[in-house]
Amino acid sequence: MSDSKSIASTEKKPDQPPSWSFWTVFSSTFLTIFFAEIGDKTQLATLLISAESQSPWVVFAGAATALIATSLLGVLIGYWIARRLSPKTLDIGVAILLLLITGLLIGDIL
């Protein structure tokens, strides 16, 4: 009987959100941001500033601090929004926003 209790207590209920481990969240966030930033205009601007200033470590410190500040802002706003909207509403809102941005970018090309 103790076996059936331990198995039943470890099963997830369908209405519970998945629990993500620290490393799952960290690695998916790191890889997403890392690949999104490669070749980004921020990286190119940092490259040019570093080449002109002859102080690569100062440029690195400034760029890293700026990226940390913008990431913190994104996390805080995302957390604030997630506490007020349901996940489904948030998904629909993001989808509409991305479609709007895509439409505006296509409009710039035409």
Side-chain angles (χ1 to χ4, degrees):
M1 288 219 177
S2 66
D3 289 335
S4 63
K5 278 187 175 181
S6 64
I7 292 172
S9 64
T10 59
E11 291 179 6
K12 287 193 178 276
K13 294 179 184 176
D15 60 344
Q16 290 180 333
S19 63
W20 291 28
S21 72
F22 170 83
W23 290 111
T24 302
V25 174
F26 180 85
S27 61
S28 66
T29 303
F30 176 84
L31 291 173
T32 301
I33 300 302
F34 182 79
F35 287 122
E37 292 296 323
I38 290 179
D40 189 342
K41 60 186 171 191
T42 304
Q43 185 182 28
L44 297 175
T46 304
L47 182 143
L48 291 173
I49 293 168
S50 180
E52 290 178 2
S53 73
Q54 302 297 318
S55 302
W57 291 109
V58 175
V59 173
F60 172 75
T65 304
L67 289 172
I68 289 170
T70 57
S71 295
L72 177 63
L73 186 61
V75 167
L76 292 176
I77 291 171
Y79 182 72
W80 181 80
I81 289 172
R83 294 190 66 195
R84 284 156 179 76
L85 299 175
S86 72
K88 186 173 182 171
T89 304
L90 196 55
D91 285 344
I92 292 171
V94 169
I96 291 170
L97 183 61
L98 288 174
L99 285 173
L100 178 67
I101 291 169
T102 302
L104 292 172
L105 289 172
I106 290 172
D108 278 349
I109 293 171
L110 301 176

